[in-house]
Amino acid sequence: MKTFRIITFIVFSIFIISCDRSGIFEEFQKATPWEFHVQVFNDDNMTQTVADALVNIYKTKEDRDNNTNIFLTRNTGADGEAVFSLKDFEPGLDAQKSKGIYYVRVEKSGIIKNDITRYLLMNDGHTYHKIVLK
């Protein structure tokens, strides 16, 4: 009986050790870098994009409301998007330092829209923030 247990343990150990787990690590290596996309539209259905709108990001509500201490700024492209990368938010690429809520101001032709982001985790992938400017 003791011999049977030892042989069973050895066979089970060999089976566990020989399993291929390389796919787990390959999946994490293909992660998509984080980006924050501000999409600007001029209709409630969000079908008509606004090109060349000024998008400013602030760290505090007071800065946004007074239009001072702009943290990041971009103009939207032809697709109505302004794209910010993790490197824009944190040059050292330390996402822990940049997590949080940010305040957004979008302006075009004298029309201004103030907004607030959701809590940004800065994980892999793309985060979208949609704003209707009218």
PDB file of all heavy atoms in Angstrom, residues 49-85:
ATOM      1  N   THR A  49     -18.895  64.297 -35.288  1.00  0.00           N
ATOM      2  CA  THR A  49     -17.723  64.664 -34.501  1.00  0.00           C
ATOM      3  C   THR A  49     -17.332  66.114 -34.734  1.00  0.00           C
ATOM      4  O   THR A  49     -17.684  66.705 -35.752  1.00  0.00           O
ATOM      5  CB  THR A  49     -16.537  63.747 -34.843  1.00  0.00           C
ATOM      6  OG1 THR A  49     -16.230  63.880 -36.235  1.00  0.00           O
ATOM      7  CG2 THR A  49     -16.847  62.290 -34.514  1.00  0.00           C
ATOM      8  N   VAL A  50     -16.590  66.656 -33.787  1.00  0.00           N
ATOM      9  CA  VAL A  50     -16.134  68.043 -33.870  1.00  0.00           C
ATOM     10  C   VAL A  50     -14.606  68.034 -34.010  1.00  0.00           C
ATOM     11  O   VAL A  50     -13.901  67.617 -33.103  1.00  0.00           O
ATOM     12  CB  VAL A  50     -16.538  68.840 -32.614  1.00  0.00           C
ATOM     13  CG1 VAL A  50     -16.007  70.262 -32.696  1.00  0.00           C
ATOM     14  CG2 VAL A  50     -18.041  68.832 -32.445  1.00  0.00           C
ATOM     15  N   ALA A  51     -14.117  68.489 -35.152  1.00  0.00           N
ATOM     16  CA  ALA A  51     -12.678  68.569 -35.393  1.00  0.00           C
ATOM     17  C   ALA A  51     -12.132  69.889 -34.861  1.00  0.00           C
ATOM     18  O   ALA A  51     -12.847  70.895 -34.802  1.00  0.00           O
ATOM     19  CB  ALA A  51     -12.382  68.441 -36.882  1.00  0.00           C
ATOM     20  N   ASP A  52     -10.889  69.880 -34.463  1.00  0.00           N
ATOM     21  CA  ASP A  52     -10.151  71.065 -34.032  1.00  0.00           C
ATOM     22  C   ASP A  52     -10.769  71.775 -32.818  1.00  0.00           C
ATOM     23  O   ASP A  52     -10.683  72.984 -32.693  1.00  0.00           O
ATOM     24  CB  ASP A  52      -9.986  72.048 -35.195  1.00  0.00           C
ATOM     25  CG  ASP A  52      -8.790  72.966 -34.972  1.00  0.00           C
ATOM     26  OD1 ASP A  52      -7.779  72.507 -34.417  1.00  0.00           O
ATOM     27  OD2 ASP A  52      -8.887  74.158 -35.329  1.00  0.00           O
ATOM     28  N   ALA A  53     -11.373  70.991 -31.918  1.00  0.00           N
ATOM     29  CA  ALA A  53     -11.849  71.553 -30.648  1.00  0.00           C
ATOM     30  C   ALA A  53     -10.689  71.475 -29.653  1.00  0.00           C
ATOM     31  O   ALA A  53      -9.912  70.526 -29.662  1.00  0.00           O
ATOM     32  CB  ALA A  53     -13.042  70.764 -30.126  1.00  0.00           C
ATOM     33  N   LEU A  54     -10.577  72.466 -28.809  1.00  0.00           N
ATOM     34  CA  LEU A  54      -9.513  72.504 -27.814  1.00  0.00           C
ATOM     35  C   LEU A  54      -9.953  71.730 -26.579  1.00  0.00           C
ATOM     36  O   LEU A  54     -10.994  72.016 -25.993  1.00  0.00           O
ATOM     37  CB  LEU A  54      -9.185  73.947 -27.434  1.00  0.00           C
ATOM     38  CG  LEU A  54      -8.082  74.142 -26.397  1.00  0.00           C
ATOM     39  CD1 LEU A  54      -6.750  73.625 -26.925  1.00  0.00           C
ATOM     40  CD2 LEU A  54      -7.979  75.606 -26.012  1.00  0.00           C
ATOM     41  N   VAL A  55      -9.158  70.714 -26.185  1.00  0.00           N
ATOM     42  CA  VAL A  55      -9.453  69.895 -25.012  1.00  0.00           C
ATOM     43  C   VAL A  55      -8.370  70.167 -23.973  1.00  0.00           C
ATOM     44  O   VAL A  55      -7.192  69.912 -24.216  1.00  0.00           O
ATOM     45  CB  VAL A  55      -9.482  68.388 -25.368  1.00  0.00           C
ATOM     46  CG1 VAL A  55      -9.727  67.554 -24.122  1.00  0.00           C
ATOM     47  CG2 VAL A  55     -10.528  68.107 -26.433  1.00  0.00           C
ATOM     48  N   ASN A  56      -8.781  70.697 -22.828  1.00  0.00           N
ATOM     49  CA  ASN A  56      -7.859  70.936 -21.715  1.00  0.00           C
ATOM     50  C   ASN A  56      -8.230  70.018 -20.559  1.00  0.00           C
ATOM     51  O   ASN A  56      -9.417  69.842 -20.260  1.00  0.00           O
ATOM     52  CB  ASN A  56      -7.932  72.387 -21.227  1.00  0.00           C
ATOM     53  CG  ASN A  56      -7.396  73.364 -22.249  1.00  0.00           C
ATOM     54  OD1 ASN A  56      -6.524  73.030 -23.051  1.00  0.00           O
ATOM     55  ND2 ASN A  56      -7.910  74.569 -22.241  1.00  0.00           N
ATOM     56  N   ILE A  57      -7.216  69.469 -19.910  1.00  0.00           N
ATOM     57  CA  ILE A  57      -7.421  68.625 -18.733  1.00  0.00           C
ATOM     58  C   ILE A  57      -6.762  69.304 -17.545  1.00  0.00           C
ATOM     59  O   ILE A  57      -5.630  69.775 -17.641  1.00  0.00           O
ATOM     60  CB  ILE A  57      -6.845  67.215 -18.962  1.00  0.00           C
ATOM     61  CG1 ILE A  57      -7.597  66.534 -20.112  1.00  0.00           C
ATOM     62  CG2 ILE A  57      -6.934  66.384 -17.681  1.00  0.00           C
ATOM     63  CD1 ILE A  57      -7.093  65.152 -20.452  1.00  0.00           C
ATOM     64  N   TYR A  58      -7.485  69.320 -16.425  1.00  0.00           N
ATOM     65  CA  TYR A  58      -7.031  69.979 -15.195  1.00  0.00           C
ATOM     66  C   TYR A  58      -7.045  68.973 -14.051  1.00  0.00           C
ATOM     67  O   TYR A  58      -7.799  68.002 -14.072  1.00  0.00           O
ATOM     68  CB  TYR A  58      -7.956  71.140 -14.836  1.00  0.00           C
ATOM     69  CG  TYR A  58      -8.132  72.154 -15.933  1.00  0.00           C
ATOM     70  CD1 TYR A  58      -9.065  71.969 -16.940  1.00  0.00           C
ATOM     71  CD2 TYR A  58      -7.362  73.309 -15.969  1.00  0.00           C
ATOM     72  CE1 TYR A  58      -9.232  72.891 -17.953  1.00  0.00           C
ATOM     73  CE2 TYR A  58      -7.525  74.250 -16.981  1.00  0.00           C
ATOM     74  CZ  TYR A  58      -8.460  74.032 -17.960  1.00  0.00           C
ATOM     75  OH  TYR A  58      -8.615  74.949 -18.964  1.00  0.00           O
ATOM     76  N   LYS A  59      -6.255  69.248 -13.031  1.00  0.00           N
ATOM     77  CA  LYS A  59      -6.229  68.380 -11.858  1.00  0.00           C
ATOM     78  C   LYS A  59      -7.285  68.760 -10.826  1.00  0.00           C
ATOM     79  O   LYS A  59      -7.676  67.921 -10.020  1.00  0.00           O
ATOM     80  CB  LYS A  59      -4.847  68.399 -11.214  1.00  0.00           C
ATOM     81  CG  LYS A  59      -3.795  67.702 -12.052  1.00  0.00           C
ATOM     82  CD  LYS A  59      -2.482  67.611 -11.307  1.00  0.00           C
ATOM     83  CE  LYS A  59      -1.467  66.832 -12.113  1.00  0.00           C
ATOM     84  NZ  LYS A  59      -0.215  66.638 -11.393  1.00  0.00           N
ATOM     85  N   THR A  60      -7.736  70.013 -10.834  1.00  0.00           N
ATOM     86  CA  THR A  60      -8.747  70.440  -9.856  1.00  0.00           C
ATOM     87  C   THR A  60      -9.903  71.131 -10.553  1.00  0.00           C
ATOM     88  O   THR A  60      -9.759  71.703 -11.643  1.00  0.00           O
ATOM     89  CB  THR A  60      -8.151  71.419  -8.817  1.00  0.00           C
ATOM     90  OG1 THR A  60      -7.802  72.637  -9.473  1.00  0.00           O
ATOM     91  CG2 THR A  60      -6.939  70.835  -8.118  1.00  0.00           C
ATOM     92  N   LYS A  61     -11.043  71.103  -9.890  1.00  0.00           N
ATOM     93  CA  LYS A  61     -12.243  71.762 -10.411  1.00  0.00           C
ATOM     94  C   LYS A  61     -12.044  73.270 -10.470  1.00  0.00           C
ATOM     95  O   LYS A  61     -12.468  73.927 -11.420  1.00  0.00           O
ATOM     96  CB  LYS A  61     -13.438  71.414  -9.524  1.00  0.00           C
ATOM     97  CG  LYS A  61     -14.748  72.009  -9.980  1.00  0.00           C
ATOM     98  CD  LYS A  61     -15.867  71.634  -9.015  1.00  0.00           C
ATOM     99  CE  LYS A  61     -17.210  72.129  -9.451  1.00  0.00           C
ATOM    100  NZ  LYS A  61     -17.329  73.560  -9.606  1.00  0.00           N
ATOM    101  N   GLU A  62     -11.372  73.824  -9.480  1.00  0.00           N
ATOM    102  CA  GLU A  62     -11.127  75.271  -9.436  1.00  0.00           C
ATOM    103  C   GLU A  62     -10.281  75.721 -10.622  1.00  0.00           C
ATOM    104  O   GLU A  62     -10.560  76.756 -11.229  1.00  0.00           O
ATOM    105  CB  GLU A  62     -10.449  75.669  -8.122  1.00  0.00           C
ATOM    106  CG  GLU A  62     -11.329  75.505  -6.896  1.00  0.00           C
ATOM    107  CD  GLU A  62     -11.488  74.040  -6.443  1.00  0.00           C
ATOM    108  OE1 GLU A  62     -10.594  73.207  -6.752  1.00  0.00           O
ATOM    109  OE2 GLU A  62     -12.507  73.733  -5.813  1.00  0.00           O
ATOM    110  N   ASP A  63      -9.245  74.943 -10.942  1.00  0.00           N
ATOM    111  CA  ASP A  63      -8.413  75.287 -12.099  1.00  0.00           C
ATOM    112  C   ASP A  63      -9.231  75.259 -13.385  1.00  0.00           C
ATOM    113  O   ASP A  63      -9.100  76.126 -14.240  1.00  0.00           O
ATOM    114  CB  ASP A  63      -7.226  74.331 -12.210  1.00  0.00           C
ATOM    115  CG  ASP A  63      -6.154  74.600 -11.177  1.00  0.00           C
ATOM    116  OD1 ASP A  63      -6.171  75.696 -10.565  1.00  0.00           O
ATOM    117  OD2 ASP A  63      -5.298  73.723 -10.976  1.00  0.00           O
ATOM    118  N   ARG A  64     -10.081  74.245 -13.515  1.00  0.00           N
ATOM    119  CA  ARG A  64     -10.922  74.160 -14.719  1.00  0.00           C
ATOM    120  C   ARG A  64     -11.891  75.330 -14.805  1.00  0.00           C
ATOM    121  O   ARG A  64     -12.028  75.963 -15.839  1.00  0.00           O
ATOM    122  CB  ARG A  64     -11.700  72.849 -14.737  1.00  0.00           C
ATOM    123  CG  ARG A  64     -12.541  72.714 -16.011  1.00  0.00           C
ATOM    124  CD  ARG A  64     -13.675  71.770 -15.899  1.00  0.00           C
ATOM    125  NE  ARG A  64     -14.593  72.175 -14.852  1.00  0.00           N
ATOM    126  CZ  ARG A  64     -15.439  71.345 -14.263  1.00  0.00           C
ATOM    127  NH1 ARG A  64     -15.483  70.082 -14.623  1.00  0.00           N
ATOM    128  NH2 ARG A  64     -16.248  71.772 -13.314  1.00  0.00           N
ATOM    129  N   ASP A  65     -12.549  75.634 -13.698  1.00  0.00           N
ATOM    130  CA  ASP A  65     -13.541  76.706 -13.709  1.00  0.00           C
ATOM    131  C   ASP A  65     -12.915  78.073 -13.967  1.00  0.00           C
ATOM    132  O   ASP A  65     -13.537  78.946 -14.562  1.00  0.00           O
ATOM    133  CB  ASP A  65     -14.313  76.719 -12.390  1.00  0.00           C
ATOM    134  CG  ASP A  65     -15.195  75.480 -12.232  1.00  0.00           C
ATOM    135  OD1 ASP A  65     -15.413  74.767 -13.238  1.00  0.00           O
ATOM    136  OD2 ASP A  65     -15.640  75.215 -11.097  1.00  0.00           O
ATOM    137  N   ASN A  66     -11.667  78.258 -13.529  1.00  0.00           N
ATOM    138  CA  ASN A  66     -10.954  79.524 -13.748  1.00  0.00           C
ATOM    139  C   ASN A  66     -10.055  79.492 -14.981  1.00  0.00           C
ATOM    140  O   ASN A  66      -9.384  80.476 -15.282  1.00  0.00           O
ATOM    141  CB  ASN A  66     -10.124  79.873 -12.515  1.00  0.00           C
ATOM    142  CG  ASN A  66     -10.986  80.097 -11.298  1.00  0.00           C
ATOM    143  OD1 ASN A  66     -12.068  80.674 -11.392  1.00  0.00           O
ATOM    144  ND2 ASN A  66     -10.526  79.634 -10.149  1.00  0.00           N
ATOM    145  N   ASN A  67      -9.995  78.333 -15.650  1.00  0.00           N
ATOM    146  CA  ASN A  67      -9.141  78.130 -16.822  1.00  0.00           C
ATOM    147  C   ASN A  67      -7.684  78.492 -16.528  1.00  0.00           C
ATOM    148  O   ASN A  67      -7.030  79.216 -17.279  1.00  0.00           O
ATOM    149  CB  ASN A  67      -9.673  78.912 -18.029  1.00  0.00           C
ATOM    150  CG  ASN A  67      -9.091  78.404 -19.330  1.00  0.00           C
ATOM    151  OD1 ASN A  67      -8.621  77.269 -19.422  1.00  0.00           O
ATOM    152  ND2 ASN A  67      -9.105  79.245 -20.340  1.00  0.00           N
ATOM    153  N   THR A  68      -7.174  77.972 -15.400  1.00  0.00           N
ATOM    154  CA  THR A  68      -5.781  78.195 -15.002  1.00  0.00           C
ATOM    155  C   THR A  68      -5.102  76.853 -14.748  1.00  0.00           C
ATOM    156  O   THR A  68      -5.770  75.839 -14.536  1.00  0.00           O
ATOM    157  CB  THR A  68      -5.703  79.038 -13.712  1.00  0.00           C
ATOM    158  OG1 THR A  68      -6.430  78.375 -12.681  1.00  0.00           O
ATOM    159  CG2 THR A  68      -6.270  80.430 -13.922  1.00  0.00           C
ATOM    160  N   ASN A  69      -3.789  76.855 -14.755  1.00  0.00           N
ATOM    161  CA  ASN A  69      -2.985  75.654 -14.458  1.00  0.00           C
ATOM    162  C   ASN A  69      -3.416  74.454 -15.307  1.00  0.00           C
ATOM    163  O   ASN A  69      -3.709  73.375 -14.781  1.00  0.00           O
ATOM    164  CB  ASN A  69      -3.049  75.295 -12.975  1.00  0.00           C
ATOM    165  CG  ASN A  69      -2.526  76.407 -12.101  1.00  0.00           C
ATOM    166  OD1 ASN A  69      -1.543  77.065 -12.421  1.00  0.00           O
ATOM    167  ND2 ASN A  69      -3.204  76.645 -10.988  1.00  0.00           N
ATOM    168  N   ILE A  70      -3.417  74.624 -16.610  1.00  0.00           N
ATOM    169  CA  ILE A  70      -3.787  73.529 -17.518  1.00  0.00           C
ATOM    170  C   ILE A  70      -2.765  72.417 -17.370  1.00  0.00           C
ATOM    171  O   ILE A  70      -1.561  72.636 -17.477  1.00  0.00           O
ATOM    172  CB  ILE A  70      -3.838  74.022 -18.976  1.00  0.00           C
ATOM    173  CG1 ILE A  70      -4.905  75.107 -19.129  1.00  0.00           C
ATOM    174  CG2 ILE A  70      -4.109  72.860 -19.924  1.00  0.00           C
ATOM    175  CD1 ILE A  70      -4.853  75.828 -20.470  1.00  0.00           C
ATOM    176  N   PHE A  71      -3.258  71.209 -17.104  1.00  0.00           N
ATOM    177  CA  PHE A  71      -2.378  70.051 -16.925  1.00  0.00           C
ATOM    178  C   PHE A  71      -1.981  69.451 -18.273  1.00  0.00           C
ATOM    179  O   PHE A  71      -0.819  69.234 -18.548  1.00  0.00           O
ATOM    180  CB  PHE A  71      -3.067  69.015 -16.038  1.00  0.00           C
ATOM    181  CG  PHE A  71      -2.295  67.754 -15.841  1.00  0.00           C
ATOM    182  CD1 PHE A  71      -1.018  67.769 -15.315  1.00  0.00           C
ATOM    183  CD2 PHE A  71      -2.850  66.532 -16.171  1.00  0.00           C
ATOM    184  CE1 PHE A  71      -0.300  66.601 -15.134  1.00  0.00           C
ATOM    185  CE2 PHE A  71      -2.151  65.351 -15.988  1.00  0.00           C
ATOM    186  CZ  PHE A  71      -0.869  65.389 -15.469  1.00  0.00           C
ATOM    187  N   LEU A  72      -2.963  69.184 -19.134  1.00  0.00           N
ATOM    188  CA  LEU A  72      -2.717  68.643 -20.475  1.00  0.00           C
ATOM    189  C   LEU A  72      -3.637  69.344 -21.470  1.00  0.00           C
ATOM    190  O   LEU A  72      -4.758  69.721 -21.114  1.00  0.00           O
ATOM    191  CB  LEU A  72      -2.998  67.138 -20.520  1.00  0.00           C
ATOM    192  CG  LEU A  72      -2.111  66.246 -19.662  1.00  0.00           C
ATOM    193  CD1 LEU A  72      -2.652  64.831 -19.630  1.00  0.00           C
ATOM    194  CD2 LEU A  72      -0.694  66.243 -20.181  1.00  0.00           C
ATOM    195  N   THR A  73      -3.187  69.471 -22.698  1.00  0.00           N
ATOM    196  CA  THR A  73      -4.018  70.101 -23.721  1.00  0.00           C
ATOM    197  C   THR A  73      -3.767  69.441 -25.079  1.00  0.00           C
ATOM    198  O   THR A  73      -2.650  69.025 -25.377  1.00  0.00           O
ATOM    199  CB  THR A  73      -3.761  71.623 -23.793  1.00  0.00           C
ATOM    200  OG1 THR A  73      -4.694  72.198 -24.687  1.00  0.00           O
ATOM    201  CG2 THR A  73      -2.354  71.943 -24.238  1.00  0.00           C
ATOM    202  N   ARG A  74      -4.826  69.327 -25.868  1.00  0.00           N
ATOM    203  CA  ARG A  74      -4.759  68.789 -27.224  1.00  0.00           C
ATOM    204  C   ARG A  74      -5.915  69.365 -28.026  1.00  0.00           C
ATOM    205  O   ARG A  74      -6.937  69.753 -27.481  1.00  0.00           O
ATOM    206  CB  ARG A  74      -4.941  67.269 -27.253  1.00  0.00           C
ATOM    207  CG  ARG A  74      -3.868  66.437 -26.668  1.00  0.00           C
ATOM    208  CD  ARG A  74      -2.887  65.978 -27.727  1.00  0.00           C
ATOM    209  NE  ARG A  74      -1.989  64.951 -27.230  1.00  0.00           N
ATOM    210  CZ  ARG A  74      -1.097  65.104 -26.275  1.00  0.00           C
ATOM    211  NH1 ARG A  74      -0.997  66.240 -25.656  1.00  0.00           N
ATOM    212  NH2 ARG A  74      -0.303  64.132 -25.909  1.00  0.00           N
ATOM    213  N   ASN A  75      -5.783  69.336 -29.327  1.00  0.00           N
ATOM    214  CA  ASN A  75      -6.888  69.634 -30.233  1.00  0.00           C
ATOM    215  C   ASN A  75      -7.404  68.313 -30.783  1.00  0.00           C
ATOM    216  O   ASN A  75      -6.617  67.381 -31.010  1.00  0.00           O
ATOM    217  CB  ASN A  75      -6.444  70.529 -31.379  1.00  0.00           C
ATOM    218  CG  ASN A  75      -6.287  71.969 -30.962  1.00  0.00           C
ATOM    219  OD1 ASN A  75      -6.598  72.330 -29.836  1.00  0.00           O
ATOM    220  ND2 ASN A  75      -5.807  72.796 -31.863  1.00  0.00           N
ATOM    221  N   THR A  76      -8.710  68.246 -31.008  1.00  0.00           N
ATOM    222  CA  THR A  76      -9.268  67.033 -31.593  1.00  0.00           C
ATOM    223  C   THR A  76      -8.868  66.955 -33.056  1.00  0.00           C
ATOM    224  O   THR A  76      -8.704  67.968 -33.733  1.00  0.00           O
ATOM    225  CB  THR A  76     -10.807  67.007 -31.476  1.00  0.00           C
ATOM    226  OG1 THR A  76     -11.337  68.168 -32.101  1.00  0.00           O
ATOM    227  CG2 THR A  76     -11.242  66.939 -30.024  1.00  0.00           C
ATOM    228  N   GLY A  77      -8.741  65.741 -33.535  1.00  0.00           N
ATOM    229  CA  GLY A  77      -8.408  65.519 -34.935  1.00  0.00           C
ATOM    230  C   GLY A  77      -9.662  65.482 -35.787  1.00  0.00           C
ATOM    231  O   GLY A  77     -10.767  65.810 -35.338  1.00  0.00           O
ATOM    232  N   ALA A  78      -9.514  65.056 -37.018  1.00  0.00           N
ATOM    233  CA  ALA A  78     -10.641  64.975 -37.946  1.00  0.00           C
ATOM    234  C   ALA A  78     -11.710  64.000 -37.445  1.00  0.00           C
ATOM    235  O   ALA A  78     -12.889  64.138 -37.770  1.00  0.00           O
ATOM    236  CB  ALA A  78     -10.155  64.539 -39.320  1.00  0.00           C
ATOM    237  N   ASP A  79     -11.287  63.032 -36.623  1.00  0.00           N
ATOM    238  CA  ASP A  79     -12.231  62.054 -36.073  1.00  0.00           C
ATOM    239  C   ASP A  79     -12.890  62.531 -34.780  1.00  0.00           C
ATOM    240  O   ASP A  79     -13.653  61.795 -34.154  1.00  0.00           O
ATOM    241  CB  ASP A  79     -11.538  60.721 -35.834  1.00  0.00           C
ATOM    242  CG  ASP A  79     -10.346  60.839 -34.886  1.00  0.00           C
ATOM    243  OD1 ASP A  79     -10.008  61.965 -34.460  1.00  0.00           O
ATOM    244  OD2 ASP A  79      -9.747  59.798 -34.575  1.00  0.00           O
ATOM    245  N   GLY A  80     -12.602  63.763 -34.357  1.00  0.00           N
ATOM    246  CA  GLY A  80     -13.205  64.318 -33.148  1.00  0.00           C
ATOM    247  C   GLY A  80     -12.595  63.808 -31.862  1.00  0.00           C
ATOM    248  O   GLY A  80     -13.178  63.965 -30.802  1.00  0.00           O
ATOM    249  N   GLU A  81     -11.405  63.213 -31.934  1.00  0.00           N
ATOM    250  CA  GLU A  81     -10.763  62.647 -30.750  1.00  0.00           C
ATOM    251  C   GLU A  81      -9.474  63.376 -30.395  1.00  0.00           C
ATOM    252  O   GLU A  81      -8.683  63.718 -31.270  1.00  0.00           O
ATOM    253  CB  GLU A  81     -10.401  61.171 -30.968  1.00  0.00           C
ATOM    254  CG  GLU A  81     -11.548  60.236 -30.880  1.00  0.00           C
ATOM    255  CD  GLU A  81     -11.113  58.778 -30.860  1.00  0.00           C
ATOM    256  OE1 GLU A  81      -9.931  58.489 -30.538  1.00  0.00           O
ATOM    257  OE2 GLU A  81     -11.942  57.922 -31.175  1.00  0.00           O
ATOM    258  N   ALA A  82      -9.285  63.567 -29.099  1.00  0.00           N
ATOM    259  CA  ALA A  82      -8.011  64.019 -28.564  1.00  0.00           C
ATOM    260  C   ALA A  82      -7.485  62.845 -27.730  1.00  0.00           C
ATOM    261  O   ALA A  82      -8.195  62.341 -26.851  1.00  0.00           O
ATOM    262  CB  ALA A  82      -8.182  65.251 -27.693  1.00  0.00           C
ATOM    263  N   VAL A  83      -6.279  62.384 -28.023  1.00  0.00           N
ATOM    264  CA  VAL A  83      -5.747  61.185 -27.381  1.00  0.00           C
ATOM    265  C   VAL A  83      -4.572  61.555 -26.486  1.00  0.00           C
ATOM    266  O   VAL A  83      -3.635  62.240 -26.906  1.00  0.00           O
ATOM    267  CB  VAL A  83      -5.295  60.150 -28.438  1.00  0.00           C
ATOM    268  CG1 VAL A  83      -4.771  58.898 -27.772  1.00  0.00           C
ATOM    269  CG2 VAL A  83      -6.446  59.820 -29.383  1.00  0.00           C
ATOM    270  N   PHE A  84      -4.636  61.071 -25.239  1.00  0.00           N
ATOM    271  CA  PHE A  84      -3.576  61.286 -24.255  1.00  0.00           C
ATOM    272  C   PHE A  84      -3.057  59.922 -23.815  1.00  0.00           C
ATOM    273  O   PHE A  84      -3.841  59.009 -23.567  1.00  0.00           O
ATOM    274  CB  PHE A  84      -4.120  62.040 -23.035  1.00  0.00           C
ATOM    275  CG  PHE A  84      -4.745  63.365 -23.365  1.00  0.00           C
ATOM    276  CD1 PHE A  84      -6.092  63.461 -23.671  1.00  0.00           C
ATOM    277  CD2 PHE A  84      -3.985  64.519 -23.376  1.00  0.00           C
ATOM    278  CE1 PHE A  84      -6.679  64.679 -23.976  1.00  0.00           C
ATOM    279  CE2 PHE A  84      -4.553  65.746 -23.685  1.00  0.00           C
ATOM    280  CZ  PHE A  84      -5.900  65.827 -23.986  1.00  0.00           C
ATOM    281  N   SER A  85      -1.747  59.789 -23.702  1.00  0.00           N
ATOM    282  CA  SER A  85      -1.154  58.521 -23.282  1.00  0.00           C
ATOM    283  C   SER A  85      -0.765  58.580 -21.812  1.00  0.00           C
ATOM    284  O   SER A  85      -0.786  59.638 -21.188  1.00  0.00           O
ATOM    285  CB  SER A  85       0.082  58.208 -24.133  1.00  0.00           C
ATOM    286  OG  SER A  85       1.126  59.117 -23.820  1.00  0.00           O
TER     287      SER A  85
END
